[in-house]
Amino acid sequence: MKRSVLAAVAALSLLAAAPANAQTLKWAAPGDAVSFDPNAQLDSFTQNIQSMVYDTLVRRNRQLQIEPSLATSWEIVAPDRWRFKLRQGVKFHDGQPFTADDVVATVMRTIDPGSRNKGNLATVKTAEKVDDQTVDFVLTGPYPLLLNDLTGIFVMSKPWMIQHDSIKPGNTSTGVTTFASTHANGTGPFKLESYEPDARTVMSANEGWWDKPEHNIKRLEFRPIKSDATRVAALLSGEIDMIAAVPLQDIPRVSSTAGVKVVEDPSLRLIFLGFNWKPELQGQPGVKNPLLDVKVRQALWQSLDMDTLQKRIMRGKSRNIATMVAPPVPGYSAEADKPIGYDPAAAKKLLADAGYPNGFKTGLACPNDRYIADEQLCLAIASMWTRVGVQVDLKTESKATYFPRQDRGETDIWMLGWATLPPMDGFSVLSAIFASRKDGFGGANANGMSIPAMDELAKKAAVELDEPKRRAMLAESFKIARDQALFIPLHLQPLAWAMKTNVDMPQFADEYVRPWFAKVN
């Protein structure tokens, strides 16, 4: 107890050292950006931090609708070729002009075999310079979601990458780092001043930004504060202006504190469990993997009391869901969103029918600083599985080490959150999670799952321009996932931020913090 109190005091002392400024926004979250290299990871929180420094060809506005950004217009000149006209007069933070060469270099870096996020441009074969202000994207075929995908592709400076030997991407999963891992040079609304992993990130307003600022922020200070108690204490003491997210158990206390407000909205982020599809479990070489049996997966799902998890762990703030996509997202169908039902007796019978009357032992891996109540959720899940005879070897760790390990397929049952970013479309789940890791698909399918029907649907949906037909394919994929219990959807994560009353920070369903829309009064 004394140790945790001292840690909280020490953290607050560090925060107090920062100079006060009415146009400085100081904010905190449980985890940190794992890299500033745009191609090194798939973590949406990291991408959120990067979005403050980098621009994209197209972006999402306040209504999360797509609008021009570094590209001012576009046209489909052939079924497999899109042409983009680029914004003139834009400069990178180091003063270099933005040209077509930068877009081509960014695209080729993104689709490089060593890029962690190459799946975000799975249908792009190459990019070709037409002239200094025009770029063609060459696709594998007709593709309806290119603009959606481009909202998550951060444009980098080719001269800067050459100067710093960073033309090739970094990759947090394979341990490849570059100069871009800890430095950044974008065209975005804020400039990266310093990045101290797990300590502090400082940005300053880009006075030469091409867009007209809606914010009044001169300086951004971000601090990862893993401890819920310390993070809340920092806000309530006035040392931090905003926390994202506020711990669910602290919402009543924080919202009743003078000078502080809590903002809550629904989120698109689905929290779910996935499985190891390899012949053997990680911790039991030579033993057949029971997770390959659909009855076992159904039993694990049926033994989870979702209502109790929602009420006790998530404080009633989450929304239980039985499918792998949120209702507002294209591809969702109410038919697939039917709860499987909590029935431990039926779960035990399924295990016995599968040949495991006495259960079995498996690993469960979870982050402890990425999702709301992630560690508490996994502790409760492990306890529920124990009641039906499944012995759980639970391992929780920081996302900095968890996600690379999960991405290498070193886990048996694992937790992941998915907000269908960047496309905000059900195809994100089908192409990245359901499809096999080949032909540019399966970017988040690291554990060997291979369902021919899913692969076929991914290929067809990728080129289907008839929207009703495309959505029907997405819905079919979600029905397959539910019927075969390929994953266990847990809930849609609640979105709750807390901030001083003089901070105006709009909230978005994709959970992105967008300080270029914020004001500190």
Side-chain angles (χ1 to χ4, degrees):
M1 180 67 72
K2 290 182 179 179
R3 196 176 305 163
S4 60
V5 171
L6 289 173
V9 171
L12 290 175
S13 299
L14 285 172
L15 295 171
N21 187 325
Q23 291 181 316
T24 294
L25 178 68
K26 296 173 288 184
W27 68 290
D32 198 6
V34 299
S35 173
F36 262 90
D37 188 324
N39 304 122
Q41 42 63 51
L42 280 174
D43 171 26
S44 59
F45 182 80
T46 294
Q47 293 168 349
N48 182 186
I49 298 292
Q50 293 170 351
S51 72
M52 301 172 190
V53 175
Y54 288 101
D55 282 318
T56 52
L57 290 180
V58 295
R59 67 185 181 185
R60 295 195 181 273
N61 60 19
R62 280 180 178 262
Q63 291 73 44
L64 296 183
Q65 297 168 335
I66 294 173
E67 66 178 13
S69 183
L70 292 181
T72 56
S73 64
W74 47 87
E75 61 177 326
I76 301 175
V77 297
D80 61 349
R81 184 177 291 262
W82 289 53
R83 180 162 294 168
F84 290 82
K85 290 291 183 180
L86 306 181
R87 191 176 299 277
Q88 299 186 38
V90 177
K91 290 187 177 181
F92 285 92
H93 296 158
D94 66 355
Q96 288 278 355
F98 161 66
T99 71
D101 291 326
D102 303 307
V103 177
V104 172
T106 294
V107 171
M108 301 313 293
R109 192 180 196 269
T110 301
I111 65 176
D112 185 277
S115 168
R116 178 64 191 88
N117 73 333
K118 58 183 178 292
N120 285 352
L121 286 181
T123 62
V124 175
K125 291 170 60 177
T126 189
E128 297 176 354
K129 175 181 176 180
V130 178
D131 57 45
D132 281 348
Q133 302 300 326
T134 311
V135 175
D136 279 3
F137 279 65
V138 182
L139 313 182
T140 56
Y143 178 59
L145 296 176
L146 181 61
L147 294 181
N148 301 56
D149 293 347
L150 290 177
T151 61
I153 305 302
F154 300 125
V155 177
M156 304 177 71
S157 163
K158 182 178 180 180
W160 184 82
M161 288 190 285
I162 292 174
Q163 177 186 354
H164 297 292
D165 193 24
S166 297
I167 282 289
K168 287 289 188 179
N171 190 313
T172 57
S173 295
T174 58
V176 176
T177 59
T178 69
F179 185 80
S181 299
T182 52
H183 301 79
N185 178 39
T187 61
F190 296 94
K191 297 180 179 181
L192 179 64
E193 299 292 340
S194 63
Y195 169 52
E196 305 168 57
D198 299 320
R200 185 172 72 158
T201 297
V202 177
M203 301 179 188
S204 60
N206 177 14
E207 302 297 342
W209 191 31
W210 58 268
D211 201 4
K212 182 179 180 180
E214 295 184 40
H215 68 86
N216 67 348
I217 297 170
K218 298 296 183 183
R219 178 183 173 91
L220 274 174
E221 296 182 13
F222 170 71
R223 293 179 183 271
I225 305 177
K226 184 175 180 178
S227 164
D228 287 348
T230 304
R231 196 165 63 255
V232 171
L235 175 70
L236 298 186
S237 69
E239 300 302 330
I240 285 287
D241 301 310
M242 171 182 152
I243 58 175
V246 56
L248 298 181
Q249 69 272 16
D250 292 313
I251 288 178
R253 177 166 66 99
V254 172
S255 60
S256 64
T257 301
V260 178
K261 61 185 177 181
V262 173
V263 183
E264 296 182 76
D265 277 303
S267 167
L268 295 177
R269 187 170 305 281
L270 169 75
I271 307 300
F272 66 94
L273 300 177
F275 301 106
N276 173 10
W277 286 79
K278 298 169 185 175
E280 303 170 357
L281 291 179
Q282 294 291 329
Q284 301 180 66
V287 177
K288 182 182 177 182
N289 181 3
L291 303 174
L292 298 177
D293 192 318
V294 62
K295 292 181 180 179
V296 170
R297 300 193 300 271
Q298 290 173 335
L300 291 172
W301 192 349
Q302 206 158 15
S303 61
L304 295 184
D305 186 346
M306 298 297 186
D307 288 339
T308 294
L309 294 177
Q310 195 263 354
K311 292 174 183 176
R312 295 187 180 177
I313 306 298
M314 304 308 296
R315 310 285 173 138
K317 299 289 186 179
S318 60
R319 176 200 185 279
N320 287 351
I321 193 165
T323 189
M324 288 287 288
V325 69
V329 177
Y332 171 87
S333 74
E335 180 185 358
D337 190 10
K338 295 178 180 177
I340 195 169
Y342 172 57
D343 191 336
K348 288 182 179 179
K349 184 178 185 306
L350 282 169
L351 289 174
D353 290 346
Y356 300 96
N358 299 315
F360 59 92
K361 183 176 181 180
T362 183
L364 171 62
C366 304
N368 57 23
D369 58 1
R370 175 60 186 102
Y371 309 118
I372 295 175
D374 43 16
E375 185 172 29
Q376 297 95 313
L377 270 171
C378 288
L379 286 166
I381 288 168
S383 176
M384 291 176 182
W385 282 341
T386 300
R387 295 172 197 165
V388 296
V390 177
Q391 302 175 52
V392 180
D393 180 12
L394 174 61
K395 180 177 178 60
T396 65
E397 58 189 309
S398 169
K399 68 176 186 177
T401 55
Y402 171 77
F403 285 118
R405 198 165 68 87
Q406 186 271 334
D407 186 57
R408 292 191 297 267
E410 298 174 0
T411 54
D412 285 324
I413 305 178
W414 40 273
M415 172 180 279
L416 194 63
W418 202 261
T420 64
L421 303 176
M424 288 191 189
D425 189 274
F427 185 71
S428 167
V429 180
L430 172 56
S431 62
I433 300 176
F434 292 169
S436 304
R437 186 171 274 192
K438 60 184 178 182
D439 302 326
F441 294 108
N445 180 0
N447 290 74
M449 188 180 80
S450 181
I451 310 294
M454 292 295 203
D455 294 342
E456 187 66 19
L457 284 169
K459 290 176 183 177
K460 288 182 178 179
V463 298
E464 181 55 68
L465 300 181
D466 184 299
E467 187 62 10
K469 288 183 179 179
R470 192 184 72 85
R471 292 196 183 203
M473 292 176 187
L474 300 180
E476 183 180 349
S477 75
F478 292 116
K479 185 176 185 303
I480 292 172
R482 184 190 185 282
D483 291 347
Q484 297 188 25
L486 303 181
F487 301 88
I488 300 179
L490 296 175
H491 59 245
L492 294 176
Q493 179 169 275
L495 181 57
W497 298 347
M499 62 194 78
K500 294 179 180 177
T501 51
N502 69 322
V503 175
D504 179 14
M505 176 70 76
Q507 198 171 63
F508 300 88
D510 63 358
E511 302 182 7
Y512 267 42
V513 176
R514 291 177 167 88
W516 54 91
F517 290 135
K519 283 186 170 62
V520 179
N521 302 311

